[in-house]
């Protein structure tokens, strides 16, 4: 059992109910503008900005505080080219046999195909890996807990931070993604989770005209 020395005071932000309501409305209004984009500008984004959004992602909760994630930030044109080539190979096979007709039909509204030029155009790719276990300095293997849930939460924090600073992103999932382990020379305990291009939107870019489900459709009150 932990001693009192293992804990530190939690100091909350004390705001009134009125301020809380205003904050919740402002937050929803801003996050509701978040969209996934496939049209990126090649305008450069400072490395420090990417560092900070990754720091924000690392604030997510995780099982037993294991923090089982790794964020690989790629700006090298050569590495991005290699990732695009490998991703398009998997995507081509997906669109020509792996994916069901229903899946392809569901994607039609987004105008996607196996070509993924945004993987080279976007100034940054953030590749999220999940660490299924950890190995300490002595080579001893240690379990991680609720890995998918933890990394999913961290990715949500990441996407929110990207939107907060005025950038756009796409949650890209070429399947399978094992080529990312090889391309980025990642250790055996890491598995690819998401490939996220990050940058500014291309001028005059467009997004599909789709709706979000209403509050009534996504919630029940007891």
């Amino acid at each position: 059992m932990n001693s009192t020395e293992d804990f530190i005071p939690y100091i909350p932000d004390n705001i009134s109910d009125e301020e809380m309501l205003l904050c919740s409305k402002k937050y929803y209004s801003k996050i509701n503008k978040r969209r996934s984009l496939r049209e990126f500008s090649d305008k450069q984004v400072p490395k420090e900005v990417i560092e900070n959004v990754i720091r924000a992602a690392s604030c997510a909760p995780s099982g037993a505080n294991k923090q089982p994630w790794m964020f690989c930030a790629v700006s090298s044109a050569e590495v991005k080219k290699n990732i695009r080539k490998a991703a398009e190979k998997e995507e081509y096979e997906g669109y020509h046999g792996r994916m069901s007709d229903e899946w392809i039909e569901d994607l039609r509204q987004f105008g996607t195909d196996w070509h993924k030029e945004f993987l080279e155009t976007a100034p940054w790719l953030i590749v999220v890996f999940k660490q299924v276990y950890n190995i300490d300095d002595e080579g001893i293997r240690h379990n991680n807990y609720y890995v998918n849930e933890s990394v999913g939460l961290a990715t949500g924090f990441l996407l929110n931070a990207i939107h907060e600073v005025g950038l756009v992103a796409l949650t890209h999932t070429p399947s399978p993604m094992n080529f990312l382990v090889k391309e980025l020379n990642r250790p055996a305990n890491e598995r690819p989770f998401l490939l996220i291009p990050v940058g500014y939107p291309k001028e005059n870019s467009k997004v599909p005209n789709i709706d979000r489900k209403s509050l009534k459709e996504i919630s029940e009150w007891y």
Side-chain angles (χ1 to χ4, degrees):
M1 186 173 181
N2 291 336
S3 67
T4 55
E5 288 79 12
D6 293 326
F7 291 83
I8 59 175
Y10 172 70
I11 304 175
D13 292 329
N14 291 314
I15 61 176
S16 66
D17 289 351
E18 291 78 12
E19 290 175 300
M20 189 182 302
L21 179 59
L22 179 60
C23 286
S24 67
K25 288 181 177 179
K26 289 176 64 177
Y27 178 80
Y28 170 68
S29 177
K30 184 167 185 178
I31 198 64
N32 191 40
K33 295 177 182 178
R34 190 212 64 79
R35 295 295 302 267
S36 296
L37 259 74
R38 292 171 173 82
E39 297 180 310
F40 287 85
S41 166
D42 61 2
K43 180 181 177 181
Q44 294 302 300
V45 174
K47 178 183 178 183
E48 292 77 11
V49 173
I50 302 302
E51 289 175 343
N52 285 331
V53 297
I54 290 175
R55 285 191 178 102
S58 74
C59 296
S62 62
N65 195 37
K66 291 286 188 172
Q67 304 169 62
W69 44 64
M70 179 60 64
F71 302 91
C72 295
V74 180
S75 62
S76 164
E78 180 180 359
V79 177
K80 289 194 294 181
K81 182 178 181 179
N82 291 340
I83 289 176
R84 176 186 177 182
K85 182 178 179 181
E88 287 187 333
K89 179 179 181 298
E90 300 297 349
E91 291 281 4
Y92 181 88
E93 294 183 14
Y95 277 88
H96 294 82
R98 286 180 182 163
M99 298 163 64
S100 68
D101 292 341
E102 182 180 8
W103 190 350
I104 292 176
E105 182 60 31
D106 284 340
L107 291 174
R108 197 177 302 280
Q109 62 182 317
F110 304 108
T112 64
D113 58 24
W114 63 272
H115 297 91
K116 307 299 176 185
E117 62 276 358
F118 53 75
L119 293 175
E120 285 192 84
T121 306
W124 289 95
L125 303 179
I126 300 180
V127 186
V128 184
F129 286 89
K130 60 182 182 181
Q131 297 176 331
V132 293
Y133 58 89
N134 286 335
I135 300 178
D136 64 23
D137 294 338
E138 297 178 355
I140 299 175
R141 178 168 168 167
H142 299 275
N143 291 331
N144 287 330
Y145 312 102
Y146 300 104
V147 173
N148 286 331
E149 294 87 345
S150 299
V151 179
L153 288 165
T155 302
F157 275 43
L158 177 69
L159 294 172
N160 182 71
I162 290 168
H163 179 71
E164 185 70 23
V165 300
L167 299 175
V168 295
L170 174 69
T171 49
H172 184 44
T173 52
S175 181
M177 293 194 289
N178 292 335
F179 66 88
L180 291 166
V181 175
K182 179 180 178 181
E183 293 295 338
L184 299 178
N185 193 31
R186 301 311 304 164
N189 67 319
E190 293 185 3
R191 307 283 188 274
F193 189 80
L194 274 175
L195 170 56
I196 306 176
V198 180
Y200 292 98
K202 181 181 179 181
E203 188 175 357
N204 299 319
S205 59
K206 295 182 179 181
V207 294
N209 184 18
I210 57 177
D211 296 319
R212 305 190 195 280
K213 291 183 177 180
S214 68
L215 180 62
K216 183 178 181 180
E217 292 175 292
I218 63 171
S219 63
E220 292 283 354
W221 303 81
Y222 298 89

